[in-house]
Amino acid sequence: MRDLIGRLEDTDDAAAGALRVIDHFDRLIEERAAVAAVVRATAALAGCAAGWHDAGRGLTRRYDPKGHALSETESRSWARAAVPGRPGSWVWLERPTKEDPLDALILERSALAVQTLTGASGRGTDDAVVRIACDADVLEADRLDAVRALGLTGPVTVIVTSGPGLSEPHSTRIGGHGVALAPGATALPPDLRAGTAVAHEPLDLPAALDRARIALRLTDRVSGPGPSLVAYDELGALAVLAERITPLEAAAANDVRHLDQVFGTHPWVIDTLQTVLDQPSLRQAATGLHVHHSTLQERLSWLSAQLGYAVTKPGGRQRAAVAVLLWRIAHSQGEHTGGNP
């Protein structure tokens, strides 16, 4: 092949360039190179940045022509080629100027090399199919195929946890969360901390995943007085707060900062407020907290003085409810123990 390329360089530069591309990717396949090497070669041959997205593993990789890694952000506007046998996966060239005559061949051979080196044969693992079903960037046809492969029909409940992976049949990890897809309205175990949302049709799965993540923000720990299972579809207007207010914005609210200050020295604060807000009477709240009624009264008097409003009065009760909700949003990015959510 290389001898032929050398002879063609003197008579047909275009043909020599095409053979050079084919030879380069063939040698990468023979050497069982890493996919990253294929993407770097794609960028080098094209003389512009190139990228690869693997929907099955939720990976995106980009490199410049010198082989330097770039951020994982990519635009769907670039010329691209699908990786055969891997629905939702593709390679692309980020050429800001007019397309080069060899671009189509480079993309084709790059996609075939990725297919060969990743051992693509069919759709892959159940783990990969769940990722494809929930990936907002895959083609609609690929998402529908993934849902059919999972055997899901009708509404699907998306379950999201911040802890270890779920034991549900169709589960994986996406963006640091455990994610599972379950048919219909699935009953979940009470010892699970999770947010859920219902996708009424397959094309709604990515949006349902986002809604379930929002619901997870408002969960309490499993042993806490608040709900450890929160369904987005039951939040109503409360979902607006969790959707539109980031953890940083919530943490900056004065009422939340005051809660953090008193929580630092009195770890019963959040549990006490949550229980008082949820129970119809202070006596029932005291029972739920396993403290004497007078002890609870003392706590609330002290807390009202610290926060600057009476948490048991109508206006103060509403303010405390919003403050606790924002406090949970503010603390929703990390793992917590004790009284933290």
Side-chain angles (χ1 to χ4, degrees):
M1 172 81 75
R2 275 169 252 178
D3 290 340
L4 177 59
I5 292 172
R7 291 196 299 271
L8 285 173
E9 284 177 342
D10 296 329
T11 58
D12 192 339
D13 190 57
L19 287 178
R20 193 179 300 111
V21 168
I22 295 170
D23 179 61
H24 197 99
F25 285 114
D26 284 350
R27 280 189 285 124
L28 288 173
I29 293 172
E30 290 172 6
E31 295 166 3
R32 303 304 300 170
V35 173
V38 173
V39 184
R40 286 190 178 97
T42 303
L45 289 167
C48 65
W52 162 63
H53 175 72
D54 184 337
R57 290 186 288 169
L59 295 176
T60 299
R61 295 290 184 267
R62 297 170 62 237
Y63 298 95
D64 67 16
K66 295 183 178 180
H68 300 141
L70 302 173
S71 70
E72 295 183 5
T73 304
E74 62 107 349
S75 168
R76 293 179 65 87
S77 63
W78 303 116
R80 64 184 59 217
V83 177
R86 298 188 73 86
S89 300
W90 51 75
V91 293
W92 67 88
L93 295 176
E94 301 179 14
R95 188 180 298 286
T97 57
K98 186 177 179 181
E99 183 177 336
D100 187 273
L102 284 177
D103 283 359
L105 178 63
I106 291 172
L107 284 173
E108 176 191 349
R109 302 305 294 192
S110 177
L112 290 173
V114 170
Q115 177 198 28
T116 302
L117 293 170
T118 53
S121 58
R123 208 170 304 279
T125 64
D126 192 74
D127 176 278
V129 181
V130 172
R131 287 180 178 275
I132 293 169
C134 295
D135 190 335
D137 289 329
V138 303
L139 297 175
E140 292 183 1
D142 289 339
R143 181 174 297 110
L144 292 171
D145 285 346
V147 171
R148 280 193 289 267
L150 293 169
L152 296 172
T153 58
V156 175
T157 297
V158 181
I159 308 161
V160 175
T161 70
S162 58
L166 294 158
S167 59
E168 296 289 325
H170 306 313
S171 62
T172 186
R173 289 195 67 79
I174 300 176
H177 291 109
V179 176
L181 305 181
T186 301
L188 298 175
D191 60 345
L192 178 67
R193 182 183 178 188
T196 69
V198 176
H200 293 283
E201 56 182 36
L203 298 183
D204 190 40
L205 279 169
L209 173 60
D210 289 339
R211 295 195 295 267
R213 285 172 171 155
I214 289 166
L216 179 64
R217 286 182 169 187
L218 305 184
T219 58
D220 195 358
R221 67 192 192 283
V222 172
S223 59
S228 64
L229 294 172
V230 173
Y232 177 93
D233 304 87
E234 297 175 4
L235 286 174
L238 296 179
V240 176
L241 287 175
E243 284 176 328
R244 301 190 180 183
I245 298 179
T246 68
L248 284 177
E249 290 170 335
N254 284 334
D255 282 356
V256 175
R257 290 195 292 107
H258 290 155
L259 283 179
D260 274 329
Q261 289 168 2
V262 294
F263 177 81
T265 55
H266 297 75
W268 47 260
V269 165
I270 300 299
D271 283 0
T272 296
L273 281 176
Q274 185 70 65
T275 305
V276 168
L277 292 167
D278 288 344
Q279 295 299 327
S281 71
L282 291 183
R283 193 166 297 280
Q284 287 173 287
T287 301
L289 290 166
H290 306 292
V291 299
H292 194 273
H293 180 261
S294 61
T295 301
L296 178 58
Q297 290 279 17
E298 291 172 1
R299 284 186 178 183
L300 293 175
S301 296
W302 176 87
L303 191 53
S304 295
Q306 299 300 311
L307 298 179
Y309 57 90
V311 298
T312 55
K313 301 295 183 181
R317 186 181 182 89
Q318 184 179 44
R319 184 172 172 179
V322 174
V324 171
L325 185 71
L326 291 177
W327 187 89
R328 296 205 184 283
I329 294 173
H331 290 263
S332 63
Q333 287 186 318
E335 293 298 320
H336 303 276
T337 57
N340 284 332

